[in-house]
Amino acid sequence: MSQYFSSSYEESREKFLALLDHVKTYYPTARVMSHSIGEDTIDLIIGEPAGSREAMLLMTIGEHGIEGYAGAAVTHQFVETQLPQLRHESTGICLIHAVNPWGMKHFRRVNEHNVDLNRNYVIDRETLPRNVNKEYEVMRHLFVPDGVIDDYHEAREHIYSFLGSGIKLDGFDAMTEAKGMGQYQFPKGVYYGGESDEPSAIFLKEIQHDLLDRYDRIVHMDWHTALGPTNEVTMVVSERDGRDVDELKRTYGLKNIQTYDPTDVLGDSTNHFYYVRDTHHPDKRLVSALFEFGTFGTSTKATIREFLTIILENRLYFEGTKDPEARNGIRKEFMAMFYPEDESWRTSVLREGAAAIELVLKAESLWRDS
């Protein structure tokens, strides 16, 4: 198991690039492409089918930086153990390592501009008001860093107190909605979607257009961590897909599936993929979904812990701390939320990831029967 998980971006990238030899077993003309993002790169392994270009399997990792380590492990395992089952003669593969390389390198969820890339794929930015997220604006004192962390316990208790009051005053739903939508008003605040398209998003949009132009069917699996039941995988799909949760569960056989309204979650990359399909290639078939490996769980207590972790990590980054305990405690919680060292969790990532891949590819007729 340990060979699949890495302790640094550089190690993960090296392992990813080494997968080319395995891929060439089934795609002799497969190649690596590297696209510069600042001082780092987004790396792709692309294998085109020898026969007709009927379908493309696209896997992306690291849109949320630190979350890429789990995705890289699943990708690595897929190439070594499941790639032989793919219908290579008519199905291509495109594996993308670290959509947000800076975030992965620095163990942050956002990129170097504090942008949550999965809120950056805004379809109509010209008509998007900067203060679109009204709930966030009201609670900006919670979400925007407000000074050096002098005392770890005091900072935690202050946030806990506010979150607890929100629950008692029926304001917890508003906080959750503020998180889901993202915001475009406070560059140092959490869940910031950016004032313009980031280079990583521009590049991935080009990939979306290119693959839809050249293939009849695209299956896109975008790997993430944190959301959903602990040690389980959850498939998250835009309502643009057109199928409800029950139909999706019948089709894919996955236990945990969620759909979301794209008007409540602005700038999601998978939803943008559907937009490209609907507006430019309505005759093409697309499945584009996030696959989340749960960490803290789904209880209210877990949700509060997630808020606390995200808020304090962002404040630590921008404002710093005089308390060594704060620095260590915040970083430890952040790792626990997005890339736990726990062996049972990492084992579940490989198990659940492999199962999700097999179920989805079988349902989409991309998996060999024998």
Side-chain angles (χ1 to χ4, degrees):
M1 180 184 74
S2 60
Q3 74 269 26
Y4 295 124
F5 294 92
S6 301
S7 59
S8 69
Y9 162 78
E10 291 80 7
E11 180 188 357
S12 182
R13 180 174 185 260
E14 182 179 353
K15 289 179 179 178
F16 176 78
L17 296 176
L19 295 177
L20 180 63
D21 289 339
H22 292 277
V23 173
K24 281 190 171 183
T25 302
Y26 304 97
Y27 298 91
T29 61
R31 66 197 187 279
V32 167
M33 294 177 58
S34 295
H35 180 78
S36 295
I37 299 291
E39 298 180 355
D40 304 307
T41 59
I42 299 176
D43 299 292
L44 297 78
I45 294 178
I46 302 175
E48 309 276 6
S52 59
R53 292 178 176 175
E54 295 178 11
M56 167 60 72
L57 173 61
L58 170 64
M59 288 191 182
T60 51
I61 71 155
E63 185 167 61
H64 285 150
I66 187 174
E67 300 178 29
Y69 291 98
V74 171
T75 302
H76 192 161
Q77 178 183 244
F78 162 74
V79 170
E80 288 193 347
T81 66
Q82 294 179 295
L83 185 57
Q85 297 300 123
L86 198 65
R87 294 184 181 275
H88 321 106
E89 66 282 353
S90 58
T91 303
I93 62 167
C94 180
L95 310 175
I96 300 183
H97 183 271
V99 173
N100 173 10
W102 184 91
M104 190 170 177
K105 176 184 283 188
H106 295 277
F107 291 88
R108 296 207 76 212
R109 189 171 177 270
V110 296
N111 74 358
E112 59 269 40
H113 304 133
N114 198 47
V115 172
D116 177 340
L117 288 179
N118 214 30
R119 296 296 177 270
N120 189 242
Y121 297 77
V122 177
I123 291 172
D124 188 3
R125 193 174 289 275
E126 290 184 3
T127 62
L128 179 72
R130 290 182 70 244
N131 63 342
V132 64
N133 194 334
K134 300 295 186 182
E135 299 291 356
Y136 190 104
E137 188 173 19
V138 170
M139 292 178 282
R140 61 185 179 274
H141 62 282
L142 176 67
F143 293 129
V144 179
D146 61 349
V148 173
I149 301 172
D150 293 315
D151 181 271
Y152 183 40
H153 296 286
E154 182 179 318
R156 283 169 56 90
E157 287 305 314
H158 174 73
I159 297 171
Y160 263 129
S161 176
F162 184 87
L163 293 173
S165 298
I167 294 172
K168 294 175 184 177
L169 299 173
D170 296 323
F172 197 66
D173 286 345
M175 285 185 277
T176 303
E177 290 173 12
K179 167 192 172 183
M181 179 175 282
Q183 57 92 10
Y184 302 85
Q185 193 172 3
F186 305 99
K188 289 187 178 182
V190 295
Y191 316 122
Y192 178 55
E195 64 178 16
S196 60
D197 293 352
E198 291 292 307
S200 290
I202 292 171
F203 177 70
L204 196 59
K205 286 180 181 181
E206 292 172 354
I207 296 294
Q208 292 176 351
H209 281 277
D210 175 65
L211 295 183
L212 281 169
D213 185 55
R214 297 191 298 116
Y215 285 85
D216 295 330
R217 179 193 306 183
I218 311 291
V219 175
H220 174 213
M221 306 183 78
D222 185 30
W223 300 100
H224 290 256
T225 61
L227 183 148
T230 306
N231 292 5
E232 296 180 12
V233 71
T234 299
M235 181 181 186
V236 185
V237 188
S238 169
E239 289 180 0
R240 274 186 181 268
D241 178 88
R243 294 172 288 181
D244 61 21
V245 169
D246 289 339
E247 184 178 355
L248 289 165
K249 286 186 174 181
R250 286 195 301 270
T251 300
Y252 298 115
L254 286 162
K255 174 184 174 184
N256 306 312
I257 297 183
Q258 298 179 11
T259 59
Y260 68 90
D261 183 341
T263 62
D264 294 334
V265 182
L266 299 181
D268 181 273
S269 61
T270 59
N271 181 67
H272 184 273
F273 214 162
Y274 281 105
Y275 166 77
V276 174
R277 192 277 307 272
D278 293 344
T279 54
H280 297 280
H281 304 277
D283 57 322
K284 302 296 180 74
R285 181 170 177 178
L286 173 67
V287 177
S288 182
L290 290 80
F291 291 82
E292 295 261 5
F293 297 112
T295 52
F296 288 174
T298 58
S299 66
T300 300
K301 182 178 180 180
T303 303
I304 291 175
R305 185 182 175 191
E306 291 171 5
F307 272 122
L308 185 71
T309 302
I310 289 283
I311 292 166
L312 285 177
E313 187 274 342
N314 186 61
R315 185 175 169 189
L316 176 67
Y317 179 79
F318 280 109
E319 306 290 350
T321 182
K322 301 174 182 177
D323 182 1
E325 184 184 357
R327 182 179 293 105
N328 294 335
I330 292 168
R331 289 177 176 171
K332 183 178 179 180
E333 274 289 89
F334 197 72
M335 290 293 288
M337 182 171 174
F338 295 110
Y339 189 34
E341 295 182 1
D342 179 68
E343 185 173 339
S344 65
W345 182 81
R346 295 190 176 189
T347 299
S348 75
V349 164
L350 297 177
R351 180 187 67 248
E352 294 273 306
I357 290 170
E358 182 173 345
L359 287 168
V360 169
L361 297 190
K362 282 183 174 179
E364 294 299 322
S365 302
L366 305 186
W367 188 271
R368 294 178 186 275
D369 295 330
S370 59

Coordinates of all heavy atoms in Angstrom, one line a residue, residues 317-357:
Y317 N -2.1 30.9 7.6 CA -1.4 31.2 6.4 C -1.2 32.7 6.2 O -0.1 33.1 5.9 CB -2.0 30.6 5.2 CG -1.3 30.9 3.9 CD1 -0.2 30.1 3.5 CD2 -1.7 31.9 3.1 CE1 0.5 30.4 2.4 CE2 -1.0 32.2 1.9 CZ 0.1 31.4 1.6 OH 0.8 31.7 0.4
F318 N -2.2 33.4 6.4 CA -2.2 34.9 6.1 C -1.7 35.7 7.3 O -1.0 36.7 7.1 CB -3.5 35.4 5.7 CG -3.9 35.1 4.3 CD1 -4.8 34.2 3.9 CD2 -3.2 35.8 3.3 CE1 -5.1 33.9 2.6 CE2 -3.5 35.5 1.9 CZ -4.4 34.6 1.6
E319 N -2.0 35.3 8.6 CA -1.7 36.1 9.7 C -0.6 35.6 10.6 O 0.0 36.3 11.4 CB -3.0 36.4 10.5 CG -4.1 37.0 9.7 CD -3.9 38.4 9.3 OE1 -2.9 39.0 9.8 OE2 -4.7 38.9 8.5
G320 N -0.4 34.2 10.5 CA 0.6 33.6 11.4 C 0.2 33.4 12.8 O -1.0 33.7 13.2
T321 N 1.1 33.0 13.6 CA 0.8 32.8 15.1 C 2.1 32.9 15.9 O 3.2 32.7 15.4 CB 0.2 31.4 15.3 OG1 -0.1 31.2 16.7 CG2 1.1 30.3 14.9
K322 N 1.9 33.3 17.2 CA 3.0 33.4 18.1 C 3.0 32.1 19.0 O 3.9 31.9 19.9 CB 2.8 34.6 19.0 CG 2.8 35.9 18.3 CD 2.5 37.1 19.2 CE 2.4 38.4 18.5 NZ 2.0 39.5 19.4
D323 N 2.0 31.2 18.7 CA 1.9 30.0 19.6 C 2.3 28.8 18.8 O 1.5 28.4 17.9 CB 0.4 30.0 20.0 CG 0.1 28.8 20.9 OD1 1.0 28.0 21.2 OD2 -1.1 28.6 21.3
P324 N 3.4 28.2 19.1 CA 3.8 26.9 18.4 C 2.8 25.8 18.5 O 2.6 25.1 17.5 CB 5.1 26.5 19.2 CG 5.6 27.8 19.8 CD 4.4 28.6 20.2
E325 N 2.0 25.8 19.6 CA 1.0 24.8 19.7 C -0.1 25.0 18.6 O -0.7 24.0 18.1 CB 0.4 24.8 21.1 CG -0.7 23.7 21.3 CD -1.4 23.8 22.7 OE1 -1.0 24.7 23.5 OE2 -2.3 23.0 22.9
A326 N -0.4 26.2 18.4 CA -1.4 26.6 17.4 C -0.9 26.1 16.0 O -1.7 25.5 15.3 CB -1.6 28.1 17.3
R327 N 0.3 26.4 15.6 CA 0.8 26.0 14.3 C 0.7 24.5 14.1 O 0.2 24.0 13.1 CB 2.3 26.5 14.2 CG 2.9 26.2 12.8 CD 4.3 26.7 12.7 NE 4.3 28.1 12.6 CZ 4.7 28.9 13.7 NH1 5.1 28.3 14.8 NH2 4.7 30.2 13.6
N328 N 1.2 23.8 15.1 CA 1.2 22.3 15.0 C -0.2 21.7 15.1 O -0.5 20.8 14.3 CB 2.0 21.7 16.2 CG 3.5 22.1 16.1 OD1 4.0 22.3 15.0 ND2 4.2 22.1 17.2
G329 N -1.0 22.3 15.9 CA -2.4 21.8 16.0 C -3.2 22.0 14.8 O -4.0 21.1 14.3
I330 N -3.1 23.2 14.2 CA -3.8 23.6 13.0 C -3.4 22.7 11.8 O -4.2 22.2 11.1 CB -3.7 25.1 12.7 CG1 -4.4 25.9 13.7 CG2 -4.2 25.4 11.3 CD1 -4.1 27.4 13.7
R331 N -2.1 22.6 11.7 CA -1.6 21.7 10.5 C -1.9 20.3 10.7 O -2.3 19.6 9.7 CB -0.1 21.9 10.4 CG 0.3 23.3 9.9 CD 1.8 23.5 9.9 NE 2.2 24.8 9.3 CZ 3.4 25.3 9.3 NH1 4.4 24.6 9.8 NH2 3.7 26.5 8.7
K332 N -1.9 19.8 11.9 CA -2.3 18.4 12.2 C -3.8 18.2 11.8 O -4.1 17.1 11.2 CB -2.1 18.1 13.6 CG -2.3 16.6 14.0 CD -2.0 16.3 15.5 CE -2.4 14.9 15.8 NZ -2.1 14.6 17.2
E333 N -4.6 19.1 12.2 CA -6.1 18.9 11.9 C -6.3 19.1 10.4 O -7.1 18.3 9.8 CB -6.9 20.0 12.6 CG -7.3 19.6 14.0 CD -8.4 18.6 14.0 OE1 -8.0 17.4 14.0 OE2 -9.6 18.9 13.9
F334 N -5.6 19.9 9.7 CA -5.7 20.1 8.3 C -5.3 18.8 7.5 O -6.0 18.4 6.6 CB -4.9 21.3 7.8 CG -5.2 21.8 6.4 CD1 -6.4 22.5 6.3 CD2 -4.4 21.6 5.3 CE1 -6.8 23.0 5.0 CE2 -4.8 22.1 4.1 CZ -6.0 22.8 3.9
M335 N -4.2 18.2 7.9 CA -3.8 16.9 7.4 C -4.9 15.9 7.6 O -5.2 15.0 6.8 CB -2.5 16.5 7.9 CG -1.3 17.3 7.4 SD -1.0 17.2 5.7 CE -0.2 15.5 5.6
A336 N -5.4 15.8 8.8 CA -6.4 14.8 9.2 C -7.7 15.0 8.4 O -8.4 14.0 8.1 CB -6.8 15.0 10.7
M337 N -8.0 16.2 7.9 CA -9.2 16.4 7.1 C -9.0 16.0 5.7 O -9.9 15.5 5.0 CB -9.6 17.9 7.2 CG -10.8 18.2 6.5 SD -11.4 19.9 6.8 CE -12.8 20.1 5.7
F338 N -7.8 16.3 5.1 CA -7.6 16.1 3.7 C -6.6 15.0 3.3 O -6.7 14.5 2.2 CB -7.1 17.4 3.1 CG -8.2 18.5 3.1 CD1 -8.0 19.6 4.0 CD2 -9.3 18.4 2.4 CE1 -9.0 20.6 4.1 CE2 -10.3 19.4 2.5 CZ -10.1 20.5 3.3
Y339 N -5.7 14.7 4.2 CA -4.7 13.6 3.8 C -4.2 12.9 5.1 O -3.1 13.0 5.5 CB -3.5 14.2 3.1 CG -2.6 13.2 2.5 CD1 -3.0 11.9 2.0 CD2 -1.2 13.5 2.4 CE1 -2.1 11.0 1.4 CE2 -0.3 12.6 1.8 CZ -0.8 11.3 1.4 OH 0.1 10.4 0.8
P340 N -5.1 12.1 5.7 CA -4.8 11.5 7.0 C -3.7 10.4 6.8 O -3.6 9.8 5.8 CB -6.1 10.8 7.4 CG -7.2 11.5 6.6 CD -6.5 11.9 5.4
E341 N -2.9 10.3 7.8 CA -1.8 9.2 7.8 C -2.4 7.9 8.3 O -1.7 6.9 8.1 CB -0.7 9.6 8.7 CG 0.1 10.9 8.2 CD 1.3 11.2 9.1 OE1 1.5 10.4 10.1 OE2 2.0 12.2 8.9
D342 N -3.6 7.9 8.8 CA -4.2 6.7 9.3 C -4.3 5.6 8.3 O -4.8 5.8 7.1 CB -5.7 7.0 9.7 CG -6.4 5.8 10.3 OD1 -6.1 5.3 11.3 OD2 -7.4 5.4 9.6
E343 N -3.7 4.4 8.6 CA -3.6 3.3 7.7 C -5.0 2.8 7.2 O -5.1 2.4 6.1 CB -2.8 2.2 8.3 CG -2.5 1.0 7.4 CD -1.6 0.0 7.9 OE1 -0.8 0.3 8.9 OE2 -1.6 -1.1 7.4
S344 N -5.9 2.8 8.1 CA -7.3 2.3 7.8 C -7.9 3.2 6.7 O -8.6 2.7 5.8 CB -8.2 2.1 9.0 OG -8.4 3.4 9.6
W345 N -7.7 4.5 6.8 CA -8.3 5.4 5.9 C -7.6 5.2 4.5 O -8.3 5.2 3.5 CB -8.1 6.9 6.3 CG -8.7 7.9 5.4 CD1 -10.0 8.2 5.3 CD2 -8.0 8.6 4.4 NE1 -10.2 9.1 4.3 CE2 -9.0 9.4 3.7 CE3 -6.7 8.7 3.9 CZ2 -8.7 10.2 2.6 CZ3 -6.4 9.6 2.9 CH2 -7.4 10.3 2.3
R346 N -6.3 5.1 4.5 CA -5.6 4.9 3.2 C -5.9 3.6 2.6 O -6.1 3.5 1.3 CB -4.1 5.1 3.4 CG -3.7 6.5 3.9 CD -2.2 6.7 3.9 NE -1.9 8.1 4.2 CZ -0.7 8.7 4.1 NH1 0.3 8.0 3.7 NH2 -0.6 10.0 4.4
T347 N -6.1 2.6 3.4 CA -6.6 1.3 2.8 C -7.9 1.4 2.2 O -8.2 0.9 1.1 CB -6.6 0.2 3.9 OG1 -5.3 0.0 4.5 CG2 -7.1 -1.1 3.4
S348 N -8.8 2.2 2.9 CA -10.2 2.4 2.3 C -10.1 3.2 1.1 O -11.0 3.0 0.2 CB -11.1 3.1 3.4 OG -10.7 4.5 3.5
V349 N -9.2 4.1 0.9 CA -9.1 4.9 -0.3 C -8.8 4.0 -1.5 O -9.5 4.1 -2.5 CB -8.0 6.0 -0.2 CG1 -7.6 6.5 -1.5 CG2 -8.4 7.1 0.7
L350 N -7.9 3.1 -1.3 CA -7.5 2.2 -2.4 C -8.7 1.2 -2.7 O -9.0 1.0 -3.9 CB -6.3 1.4 -2.1 CG -5.0 2.3 -1.9 CD1 -3.8 1.4 -1.5 CD2 -4.7 3.0 -3.2
R351 N -9.3 0.7 -1.7 CA -10.4 -0.2 -1.8 C -11.6 0.5 -2.5 O -12.2 0.0 -3.5 CB -10.8 -0.8 -0.5 CG -11.9 -1.8 -0.5 CD -12.4 -2.3 0.8 NE -13.1 -1.2 1.6 CZ -12.5 -0.6 2.7 NH1 -11.4 -1.0 3.2 NH2 -13.2 0.4 3.3
E352 N -12.0 1.6 -1.9 CA -13.2 2.3 -2.4 C -13.0 2.9 -3.8 O -13.9 2.9 -4.6 CB -13.6 3.4 -1.4 CG -14.1 2.9 0.0 CD -15.6 2.5 0.0 OE1 -16.4 3.4 -0.4 OE2 -15.9 1.4 0.3
G353 N -11.8 3.4 -4.0 CA -11.4 3.9 -5.3 C -11.5 2.9 -6.4 O -12.1 3.1 -7.4
A354 N -10.9 1.7 -6.1 CA -10.9 0.7 -7.1 C -12.3 0.2 -7.4 O -12.7 0.0 -8.6 CB -10.1 -0.5 -6.7
A355 N -13.2 0.1 -6.4 CA -14.5 -0.4 -6.5 C -15.3 0.6 -7.3 O -16.1 0.3 -8.2 CB -15.2 -0.6 -5.2
A356 N -15.2 1.9 -7.1 CA -15.9 3.0 -7.8 C -15.5 3.0 -9.3 O -16.4 3.1 -10.1 CB -15.6 4.3 -7.2
I357 N -14.2 2.8 -9.5 CA -13.8 2.8 -10.9 C -14.4 1.6 -11.7 O -14.9 1.8 -12.8 CB -12.2 2.7 -11.0 CG1 -11.6 4.0 -10.6 CG2 -11.8 2.3 -12.4 CD1 -10.1 3.9 -10.4

